[in-house]
Amino acid sequence: MKSLSLSAALRIRSYAKVAPGTDIVSAAPNVSLQKARTWDEGISSKFSTTPLQHIFKDKKVVIFGLPGAYTGVCSNKHVPAYKDNVDKFKAKGVDSVICVAINDPYTLNAWAEKLQAKDAIEFYGDFDGSFHKSLELVTDLSGALLGTRSERWSAYVVDGNIKALNVEEAPSDVKVSGAETILGQI
């Protein structure tokens, strides 16, 4: 059996195609996300997706990406901090706090319910990774048996324009992408 160190398994990369000043919708043209939902809700909606312009147009949005549902740091540190600070975001005029991951919307729905965060945070799936790939916010976590995943990142977006962007050096870190950091950037 082959064994890798955590640092080797979780390759480090700290750049992205997007930066403050970038229009996130233009950077990911023709991309839609899938709102977290049950399988039955997926069927009844005919597996609808949400175009990025509907998420960002005329809104102030805090969005954070993470490697995946049910993973340790995501479940124990990243999402809870955003959930615990939703009222502070709303007080600063933020319309929505969004969590996005390269997962299907059904897994994200079950995970959001388990974390009791669905009422505070909007969860969206990027089932094929097209959103994250367009923004160059993907990382290969095959060493941890996860495959292609989202970088751990956060952004403050106003009417589609990225005002602040934070990308972690390693997917196991929550040093710059956490709720407190982005709160200070609004």
Side-chain angles (χ1 to χ4, degrees):
M1 176 183 275
K2 185 177 178 182
S3 174
L4 294 173
S5 70
L6 183 60
S7 60
L10 305 175
R11 294 208 167 81
I12 297 173
R13 191 181 75 109
S14 60
Y15 63 90
K17 175 181 173 181
V18 293
T22 303
D23 181 310
I24 199 166
V25 177
S26 297
N30 304 313
V31 171
S32 294
L33 295 173
Q34 311 82 45
K35 191 160 181 97
R37 59 190 169 222
T38 65
W39 180 257
D40 290 341
E41 290 168 335
I43 291 171
S44 69
S45 73
K46 298 184 173 141
F47 303 104
S48 67
T49 61
T50 307
L52 294 182
Q53 57 267 32
H54 291 265
I55 296 170
F56 296 106
K57 184 174 175 43
D58 299 324
K59 294 179 187 161
K60 293 179 181 177
V61 176
V62 167
I63 184 169
F64 64 105
L66 41 76
Y70 294 102
T71 56
V73 175
C74 303
S75 297
N76 298 321
K77 199 169 185 182
H78 212 188
V79 172
Y82 280 90
K83 177 185 167 191
D84 293 345
N85 282 288
V86 163
D87 290 338
K88 291 178 184 175
F89 286 118
K90 299 293 181 183
K92 288 190 171 224
V94 171
D95 297 302
S96 55
V97 176
I98 295 173
C99 174
V100 63
I102 300 177
N103 283 113
D104 64 78
Y106 320 108
T107 298
L108 282 174
N109 186 66
W111 183 53
E113 287 179 354
K114 179 180 168 106
L115 295 175
Q116 299 177 340
K118 197 170 177 188
D119 291 335
I121 299 168
E122 294 178 35
F123 287 78
Y124 283 89
D126 180 16
F127 81 96
D128 62 356
S130 59
F131 175 66
H132 286 91
K133 288 173 187 171
S134 293
L135 304 180
E136 295 181 6
L137 286 170
V138 292
T139 188
D140 181 1
L141 296 180
S142 295
L145 306 178
L146 295 171
T148 300
R149 294 295 178 136
S150 168
E151 296 276 4
R152 186 175 306 282
W153 61 279
S154 65
Y156 176 51
V157 183
V158 177
D159 193 25
N161 188 359
I162 298 173
K163 298 294 185 182
L165 175 69
N166 310 293
V167 182
E168 296 292 351
E169 287 188 26
S172 57
D173 290 343
V174 183
K175 295 176 181 173
V176 299
S177 66
E180 291 294 333
T181 300
I182 203 80
L183 265 169
Q185 295 171 320
I186 298 173

